Amino acid sequence: MGIDVNIRVTGGAGQGVHTVSNLIMRMVAGAGYRFHVTQDYVSRIRGGRNSQGIRIGSEPVRAGREEADVLLALNPDLLPDYLPAVGEGGFALADVPSADPPLFRAPLKEMAVQAGSPILANVAGTGAIACALGIPLEIADAVFASDFKGDFVEKNRAALRLGADWAKENLPEKIRERFRLPARSHSRPIILSGNEALALGAIAGGCKFAAGYPMTPGTGILSVLANEGPSVGLVFEQAEDEIAALTMAIGASYTGARTIVATSGGGFALMVEALSLAGMMETPVVIVVAMRPGPATGMPTRTEQGDLEFVLSAGHGEFPRLVLAPGSPEEAFDLAQRAMDLAEEFQVPVILLTDQYLADTVVDIDPENLVVRPLRRHIVRGDSIPRTRQGKYLRHAYTESGISPMAVPGEPGITVVVDSDEHTEDGHLSEDHATRIRMVEKRLRKGVTLAGKTIPPLFTGPPNGDLVLIGFGSTKEVIEETRRILAREGRNVAAVHLRQVWPFPAEEIAGIVPRFGAALTVENNARGQLARVIRSECGVRIDGTVSRYDGLPFTPAALARDVRRRI
Amino acid sequence: MTGRYETDFENAWCPGCGNFGILNAVTMALEATGREKHEIVLVSGIGQAAKLPHSVDVNVFNGLHGRALPAAAGIKMANPGLTVIVTSGDGDIYGEGGNHFLHNIRRNVDIALFVHDNQVYGLTKGQPSPTASAGWTGSLQRSGVISGPFPPLAVALALGCGFVARGYAADPAFTSDLMLQAIRFPGFALVDILQPCVTFNKKNTYQWYGKMVQKLPPDHDVTDREKAMTLALEWEERIPLGVLYRREKPTFEQLHPQVPGLPLGERETPEEAVRALLLRRRAVPG
């Protein structure tokens, strides 16, 4: 990687950390550079300790870094936590009475007041950073003009310029030289978080009904669906609880709407009853489980991959399901579209398994690289609805694939009957044991058909070697950067990213693992849940797990250190 | 039972069960709506009452215990052209589904809700439902129910439900008329139906109800909410039957900007619309 500058902005909730981060990423993107933002925040409205890391590069940036080159501490009280992580040659800015390098005393409040509003200290700080990076301030003017109204536009411009002027005079030439980004041709990327990308992917996949009960970190998905719904005729409703959210979605899905719900582990626990209902009624529905550390309330705003085994086994009774685990915002956009389609094709619940890290990861994306797949509908209508000789429609007709043609209520001449009880082909409840056997087998046959359409894992690195690292979901890009770090050191390491964790791609994994001297899973959980699934599904040897369960995501440098220790 | 909606489903209710009267009332009301069977969805939860939809030849969503209302709400929001009716038991709607009962009244989705109110769980063999009177002895409450009864009509009125009525299983013609009014009412409409349980409820019998129920006089002012509340809480001296309260207000479907139009399942998603959403997220505007 050529340029690699990591900026950390920290402050209490309500001090405008997010505003700084948002402004810097938009200026950086406008200046033709790439970035990756990770968010670390506390579960409170005011105060506490929030931080965002904005890692900037000339090539696509896909993971964060712990060491900061530039630190802006909006709350100086947080300096003891963050200053030690400023790397050699880096600098820090804070509004403190006096300072020694690498910390510089930046009179942020004074500049803000001079600009016309004391709340603009964060924008003054942004100006200082922009100056150090050599980013033209005019890029920010376009952002201010579109985001703000009235004289606040001018006040923001003034604060930004006061900050930049201060940096020009007070930061040593050497520092400004070191971090100056060479001029590049401007690009016009879009900016997406994992949550936004997933929600927009669902919309692109034809989603028309969404329900949910707010729960971090899934709420961001609901807000995109609620706010963008009007332009695509999507109905969003905030439910009284997660039980209602999923049940409403299943009701809407029964009428033929593509539906989604989004929550985190605790909310999903409440949805489990309805998950089983979707399995029994063979109703398509997409459920986003954005994981956070548990058990119970756990750490509400932090990250973990601790619910893998939970989503694989959730729901009473046996029924097929699909579990997809996107590894980046781009993949979230793609897999959410496919989830919408596959849910309807196979009439199964589809779980999109993400976590706080991916939900809140923000990257720049060239919109031309996002594929909008043509919509395929799988619902039968009018004359194509199969009927018995008596003219009846059988919602759960026995078929070879296990998939029964799905019609919806409102079709003249037929009725659509569904039941949470075991049922006959026409949907009416039945306690007949022979029927039970045939229906169980029909549903499971559908699972076999589904397994035949697995979205394969992604493999990078040499075809065989000393070590293969295996992960699912949000660890994708961190593992990939780690693999490259290790490859540069001459190590023969490959990486596998599972985009689909159920039905488990057993054949692929069983084919890869034996080609390497050792296999480790990399998991943001304590028990190595993926390793357990691989062992039970493929019978191959997994030598261990690199775990992280402090509530924070992996970073490539730290992961590389952990892996070296295991080789 | 009239022929038009007949199915050959065997519902396994006890002889004399109030559900038969309610089933008669439902089918009479459906006949009177003039709606075709494919335009009607009967939604229920789990319990003896919840098996009723299987005996009626219309679209059926027989879901989970307690969860009939959110499923019905989802159906109605996604396709408001369907006539959506929930018919289920008191334990289902007021107990397991109590939260959904509260919030769907607030939501005011155009659903007619018929609750088979027999104060007892029949399918699990004789435990008190939320409407059971204190002191009632059940198989799990040998020394009597301690909790006071849930007052469905009063709760619905408190929440601003626009149509609140009480029927009686032994009077299908009368109850059927209430049901028809509820179906035609634009908004959430509750008909709580007193239903003797011949097997498990030895107190609130046909004879007992026969003495207690009293139809509201024709001059009852259905727009008087305070009067309706007084009537809703009457139980010891007499039990009023009929429409206690009726006042229209805008429904969820009318107020939600995205509900009107084609059923959600028939709406398209043009690629241009998706592209436009993506491009609105340009790093730098203009």
Side-chain angles (χ1 to χ4, degrees):
Chain A
M1 188 177 280
I3 283 166
D4 185 354
V5 177
N6 195 30
I7 298 171
R8 184 158 295 283
V9 185
T10 181
Q15 280 195 305
V17 170
H18 185 78
T19 306
V20 177
S21 167
N22 181 48
L23 197 50
I24 291 177
M25 66 177 111
R26 292 168 79 174
M27 292 178 79
V28 162
Y33 284 85
R34 320 294 303 268
F35 65 83
H36 175 276
V37 173
T38 45
Q39 304 187 32
D40 175 23
Y41 53 101
V42 286
S43 181
R44 55 197 285 179
I45 295 170
R46 287 277 176 271
R49 201 186 82 153
N50 286 358
S51 94
Q52 298 207 8
I54 308 134
R55 189 176 171 206
I56 301 162
S58 42
E59 301 302 319
V61 190
R62 285 298 181 252
R65 180 145 70 76
E66 271 153 18
E67 194 184 64
D69 300 305
V70 179
L71 171 68
L72 172 62
L74 296 173
N75 177 2
D77 295 345
L78 300 176
L79 280 168
D81 293 332
Y82 291 97
L83 198 54
V86 173
E88 209 175 314
F91 70 97
L93 304 174
D95 207 337
V96 284
S98 65
D100 296 312
L103 179 63
F104 291 86
R105 180 196 164 266
L108 302 176
K109 218 165 292 161
E110 203 181 299
M111 293 189 272
V113 170
Q114 201 186 329
S117 170
I119 65 164
L120 293 173
N122 57 348
V123 179
T126 307
I129 293 173
C131 169
L133 299 178
I135 301 175
L137 302 184
E138 294 71 39
I139 301 174
D141 293 343
V143 174
F144 294 144
S146 90
D147 285 14
F148 301 124
K149 284 198 182 83
D151 65 350
F152 205 55
V153 175
E154 200 43 55
K155 287 175 183 171
N156 271 278
R157 285 170 48 113
L160 190 79
R161 281 166 174 75
L162 285 166
D165 292 345
W166 172 87
K168 211 170 186 178
E169 281 165 34
N170 295 282
L171 284 183
E173 180 67 26
K174 200 172 68 186
I175 282 187
R176 285 186 286 127
E177 276 307 310
R178 180 184 152 133
F179 293 111
R180 180 158 303 138
L181 304 174
R184 265 168 88 102
S185 60
H186 290 205
S187 61
R188 305 209 58 216
I190 59 169
I191 294 179
L192 287 182
S193 69
N195 267 351
E196 273 183 296
L198 190 151
L200 294 173
I203 287 173
C207 183
K208 294 295 176 214
F209 182 86
Y213 186 91
M215 183 170 188
T216 307
T219 316
I221 292 165
L222 302 178
S223 64
V224 174
L225 294 166
N227 292 316
E228 305 294 16
S231 66
V232 289
L234 178 151
V235 171
F236 168 77
E237 172 63 355
Q238 181 175 316
E240 55 272 27
D241 54 35
E242 288 86 349
I243 297 169
L246 184 52
T247 311
M248 279 161 80
I250 291 170
S253 181
Y254 164 70
T255 73
R258 290 193 171 181
T259 61
I260 197 168
V261 297
T263 184
S264 188
F268 181 65
L270 291 182
M271 290 181 179
V272 164
E273 177 195 40
L275 173 75
S276 178
L277 177 68
M280 188 54 145
M281 285 188 169
E282 306 193 60
T283 312
V285 67
V286 176
I287 303 162
V288 185
V289 181
M291 295 178 282
R292 67 191 213 189
T297 308
M299 297 179 86
T301 60
R302 295 328 210 276
T303 201
E304 194 162 278
Q305 294 183 301
D307 297 333
L308 174 65
E309 287 180 317
F310 176 36
V311 302
L312 294 184
S313 63
H316 50 297
E318 299 174 298
F319 57 91
R321 75 193 68 197
L322 178 63
V323 182
L324 304 177
S328 65
E330 289 95 330
E331 218 168 77
F333 183 76
D334 185 49
L335 291 182
Q337 288 182 65
R338 292 163 81 162
M340 283 289 150
D341 179 59
L342 292 167
E344 191 176 280
E345 180 176 0
F346 291 93
Q347 302 167 26
V348 290
V350 177
I351 293 164
L352 280 167
L353 190 59
T354 72
D355 51 37
Q356 180 269 327
Y357 170 58
L358 176 60
D360 293 330
T361 284
V362 188
V363 293
D364 61 296
I365 295 173
D366 179 351
E368 298 304 313
N369 292 344
L370 293 177
V371 176
V372 178
R373 295 165 181 270
L375 282 186
R376 309 176 303 158
R377 293 306 304 265
H378 307 280
I379 288 170
V380 290
R381 294 191 181 271
D383 291 341
S384 57
I385 299 171
R387 289 160 214 243
T388 63
R389 245 173 273 144
Q390 292 77 36
K392 271 184 84 172
Y393 162 68
L394 304 176
R395 174 63 192 88
H396 300 283
Y398 299 124
T399 60
E400 208 173 305
S401 65
I403 303 167
S404 316
M406 179 176 170
V408 297
E411 291 281 354
I414 63 152
T415 58
V416 182
V417 179
V418 291
D419 195 337
S420 68
D421 293 87
E422 190 56 275
H423 40 257
T424 44
E425 286 180 285
D426 63 5
H428 286 289
L429 78 86
S430 168
E431 298 195 37
D432 175 61
H433 298 290
T435 302
R436 167 68 182 172
I437 292 170
R438 289 193 74 183
M439 273 298 159
V440 167
E441 290 174 352
K442 172 195 128 59
R443 287 189 290 269
L444 296 187
R445 214 156 52 235
K446 201 169 67 166
V448 174
T449 310
L450 179 62
K453 219 178 168 180
T454 300
I455 301 171
L458 296 176
F459 181 91
T460 54
N464 41 53
D466 302 327
L467 175 69
V468 59
L469 299 173
I470 308 171
F472 71 98
S474 72
T475 53
K476 175 192 179 188
E477 301 287 354
V478 177
I479 294 176
E480 176 56 16
E481 190 173 333
T482 304
R483 184 193 68 76
R484 289 190 202 165
I485 292 171
L486 297 169
R488 281 200 295 274
E489 295 166 5
R491 294 174 198 267
N492 245 335
V493 179
V496 174
H497 162 60
L498 289 147
R499 291 177 289 177
Q500 176 172 325
V501 287
W502 201 266
F504 191 79
E507 216 171 291
E508 288 88 344
I509 296 300
I512 292 169
V513 170
R515 305 204 306 257
F516 292 85
L520 295 176
T521 61
V522 177
E523 305 185 50
N524 243 168
N525 60 47
R527 288 165 58 251
Q529 298 183 24
L530 178 63
R532 293 153 68 100
V533 174
I534 296 174
R535 287 185 196 112
S536 74
E537 293 303 313
C538 332
V540 294
R541 202 191 58 180
I542 297 295
D543 300 277
T545 297
V546 183
S547 284
R548 182 162 189 174
Y549 44 89
D550 57 357
L552 297 171
F554 286 103
T555 57
L559 178 58
R561 270 198 306 276
D562 285 341
V563 172
R564 277 186 215 106
R565 258 184 249 139
R566 308 289 284 263
I567 299 177
Chain B
M1 177 172 164
T2 42
R4 185 176 175 189
Y5 298 106
E6 201 168 343
T7 70
D8 51 11
F9 183 77
E10 199 188 316
N11 53 45
W13 293 327
C14 308
C17 177
N19 282 331
F20 290 106
I22 297 175
L23 175 58
N24 271 339
V26 167
T27 48
M28 282 192 277
L30 292 184
E31 287 282 355
T33 62
R35 299 281 279 167
E36 298 291 329
K37 48 187 163 186
H38 70 272
E39 298 171 314
I40 300 165
V41 188
L42 277 185
V43 183
S44 65
I46 293 297
Q48 286 298 62
K51 288 179 180 168
L52 184 148
H54 289 283
S55 297
V56 187
D57 187 15
V58 294
N59 297 293
V60 172
F61 187 109
N62 179 11
L64 293 169
H65 188 61
R67 316 302 172 209
L69 278 174
I75 292 167
K76 188 69 183 182
M77 289 175 193
N79 188 352
L82 297 168
T83 296
V84 181
I85 300 162
V86 174
T87 183
S88 228
D90 46 5
D92 196 317
I93 299 294
Y94 305 141
E96 189 93 19
N99 200 28
H100 312 308
F101 176 69
L102 301 183
H103 294 282
N104 281 294
I105 291 174
R106 289 180 50 228
R107 211 169 254 133
N108 199 31
V109 183
D110 184 7
I111 293 170
L113 168 63
F114 308 152
V115 184
H116 309 220
D117 185 353
N118 62 0
Q119 305 168 49
V120 70
Y121 292 100
L123 197 53
T124 51
K125 304 205 176 358
Q127 300 80 34
S129 91
T131 53
S133 312
W136 195 89
T137 53
S139 65
L140 299 176
Q141 294 79 12
R142 291 297 181 202
S143 48
V145 170
I146 294 167
S147 303
F150 178 86
L153 302 184
V155 171
L157 285 165
L159 288 164
C161 185
F163 185 97
V164 180
R166 186 186 274 131
Y168 178 38
D171 193 343
F174 175 76
T175 303
S176 163
D177 177 60
L178 296 178
M179 288 174 168
L180 180 63
Q181 291 187 56
I183 293 168
R184 289 186 171 155
F185 179 79
F188 193 96
L190 168 66
V191 184
D192 182 79
I193 304 151
L194 302 173
Q195 174 198 12
C197 174
V198 293
T199 305
F200 296 110
N201 189 338
K202 302 298 183 194
K203 183 192 169 199
N204 310 105
T205 59
Y206 284 101
Q207 292 73 19
W208 185 85
Y209 278 122
K211 278 184 240 152
M212 297 296 286
V213 295
Q214 204 175 333
K215 287 177 188 166
L216 288 170
D219 63 351
H220 167 64
D221 179 5
V222 293
T223 63
D224 185 342
R225 195 164 164 212
E226 275 177 45
K227 173 75 178 160
M229 188 59 98
T230 308
L231 292 167
L233 293 168
E234 280 189 38
W235 186 265
E236 299 302 326
E237 310 283 309
R238 58 159 198 166
I239 307 173
L241 297 182
V243 180
L244 277 68
Y245 182 72
R246 189 189 191 286
R247 183 171 279 180
E248 291 183 23
K249 56 183 176 175
T251 64
F252 179 93
E253 301 91 285
Q254 289 163 346
L255 294 175
H256 193 298
Q258 274 71 60
V259 170
L262 277 178
L264 302 188
E266 293 173 31
R267 294 183 188 180
E268 311 267 343
T269 307
E271 186 179 337
E272 308 82 73
V274 177
R275 288 273 163 217
L277 290 178
L278 292 171
L279 296 183
R280 268 176 39 195
R281 287 162 168 80
R282 288 263 195 221
V284 183

